[in-house]
Amino acid sequence: MVDSAMDRIERHVASLPRQPMHATAGGKKLARALREPMPERGRPFERLLRLLIGRVIPASLNTASPGYLAYIPGGGLLHSAVADLIADATNRYVGVFIAAPGLAQIEENVVQWFCAMLGLPASAGGLLTTGGSLANLTAVVTARRERLPPDFLRGTIYTSEEVHHSVQKAALIAGFPPERVRALPTDDRFRLVPEAVAHAVSADRAAGLAPFLIVASAGTTATGAIDPLEALADLAAREGLWLHVDAAYGGFFALTERGKAAMRGIERADSVTLDPHKTLFLPYGTGCVLARDREALRRAHSVEASYLPPMQTEEGLVDFCELGPELSRDARGLRVWLPLKMHGAGVFRAALDEKLDLARWAADALRRIDGIDVVAEPELSVLAFRARCEGMSAEDADAYNRRLCAKVNEKQRVLLTGAVVKGRFLVRMAIVSFRTHADRMAMAVEDVATSLAELGRP
Ligand SMILES: Cc1ncc(COP(=O)(O)O)c(C=O)c1O
């Protein structure tokens, strides 16, 4: 099975750059055709493989393509697929330390590498999650537990209107009604304004509410904005608030000098979300939450049970079930550990530096296209732009820019998505894939210029 799957996977991966960027037309029909009751009798593997690789997988967005610049791209390093195969086939248990001490330690190593990368203190720790959303949830629950009484409904959360919606979702799941989340307007670079947070905190205190958490972004999804982390850390310290930094997109740029400088202050966070399936180029399904005091995670999540083995008390030995919501979980440390061990951090640093260069190059090249304005310069590797629509109503200008985005995507060489920021539709490029290089970025810029010409200047 592995050999024949590998044969098809190899061909699939080799043809990725030539595959269309999106092939979801007819997707509903396909989905309906796949509906079936639980089969009573088996089918040969080869037939099922043909179905998957031949029909099901191609009918999708080509998220693994070098041209995928949409949303925040995921990675898909094959090393992690091999690590998953080993982890799943051997099926060891990493929920509790004593069941697989070596595998638990491998995940703990990865977590500690990430803590060191961000400059967190020796008290820090965390765990790998399935993604950034679960990491944000774990952090919000931990902050709630650390900073609020059991009757916590007066608790209020401060963040920017540009924060990823998983933070609002985390607040909701953690029991806070939407009106307890202050999504504050941003400055002209789409960043949270510390003075606005301070103002909202004192107004809420005066109204009898209980401010407890600031969520800053280290790279917003729409424009890549990095909130002023130092000033927010000062404010959080002054006001006794928990500071969580959602660095799901930006975090791994801390491996680079430029990224580290851009995210200065992240080392003062109480907790951080990272997403190895974004900027560490891994396949979907790997997030990470870190806390400056690992014991805070334990206090928020640890529950005893007589049927479990004793938990570790010695320094550095971790039972992951005590730090987050999951008990049984895959040995997901392996999929991070294997590529880092095989290549070393230097290879990742170089790849991330390349993305920073590509984004800067793309912003300059877009600016040179007559009629294009770069609205959000790349702080890291996300940028946003817009066709200049002089004399048009805001609605017509947005409609034009949506058509521009669709026209670029019609060419099937890159896939772009947009976002509405401060009431305006912006077209974005998110350069995150390890497969994206200068040649594809040149196509992206060329397709914007050609599409603009084809649509006719607004
Ligand atoms: C800034 C940011 N935070 C959080 C998330 C949520 O992460 P995930 O999709 O891994 O749950 C995303 C996803 O794109 C994101 O861009």
Side-chain angles (χ1 to χ4, degrees), residues 184-406:
L184 299 166
T186 53
D187 67 9
D188 58 356
R189 282 168 63 193
F190 315 108
R191 300 172 305 178
L192 184 57
V193 181
E195 295 74 24
V197 178
H199 191 266
V201 165
S202 32
D204 284 339
R205 283 226 169 91
L209 295 172
F212 78 104
L213 168 63
I214 299 175
V215 180
S217 302
T220 59
T221 313
T223 65
I226 301 174
D227 291 336
L229 302 179
E230 298 251 49
L232 290 167
D234 289 342
L235 175 64
R238 223 168 34 242
E239 295 285 349
L241 308 180
W242 183 278
L243 176 64
H244 175 65
V245 178
D246 179 0
Y249 151 61
F252 286 103
F253 283 101
L255 284 171
T256 70
E257 284 306 316
R258 286 175 284 177
K260 203 184 260 294
M263 291 185 284
R264 196 163 289 131
I266 198 168
E267 70 285 353
R268 294 172 63 194
D270 292 296
S271 55
V272 179
T273 285
L274 296 172
D275 238 350
H277 65 202
K278 293 187 170 72
T279 31
L280 206 60
F281 315 125
L282 303 192
Y284 292 120
T286 322
C288 178
V289 61
L290 304 175
R292 104 181 277 100
D293 173 13
R294 180 174 45 211
E295 293 313 302
L297 290 171
R298 200 188 306 275
R299 284 190 289 274
H301 294 94
S302 174
V303 177
E304 286 179 12
S306 62
Y307 40 80
L308 289 178
M311 299 290 136
Q312 301 308 303
T313 51
E314 281 173 52
E315 187 275 321
L317 304 184
V318 182
D319 292 283
F320 286 108
C321 72
E322 288 211 293
L323 305 186
E326 295 169 283
L327 175 60
S328 300
R329 55 208 285 282
D330 51 341
R332 57 183 75 122
L334 277 193
R335 52 168 36 201
V336 188
W337 176 85
L338 188 65
L340 275 168
K341 285 287 281 187
M342 282 180 68
H343 293 298
V347 166
F348 289 84
R349 181 174 300 113
L352 288 163
D353 263 321
E354 181 201 17
K355 306 309 155 214
L356 295 175
D357 292 340
L358 290 174
R360 183 96 337 264
W361 177 85
D364 290 341
L366 285 167
R367 219 189 325 275
R368 281 196 295 273
I369 301 176
D370 190 21
I372 292 289
D373 289 329
V374 176
V375 182
E377 294 289 335
E379 305 253 358
L380 297 168
S381 71
V382 169
L383 61 96
F385 63 96
R386 207 174 136 83
R388 203 173 306 133
C389 296
E390 278 151 1
M392 266 193 194
S393 71
E395 265 170 26
D396 287 349
D398 277 0
Y400 182 90
N401 275 284
R402 284 181 198 277
R403 285 202 298 281
L404 176 64
C405 188

Side-chain angles (χ1 to χ4, degrees), residues 71-73 129-136 162-167 217-222 246-250 273-275 277-278 284-287:
Y71 307 105
I72 300 290
T129 61
T130 50
S133 300
L134 256 290
N136 281 335
E162 289 301 316
V163 78
H164 191 264
H165 75 280
S166 59
V167 170
S217 302
T220 59
T221 313
D246 179 0
Y249 151 61
T273 285
L274 296 172
D275 238 350
H277 65 202
K278 293 187 170 72
Y284 292 120
T286 322

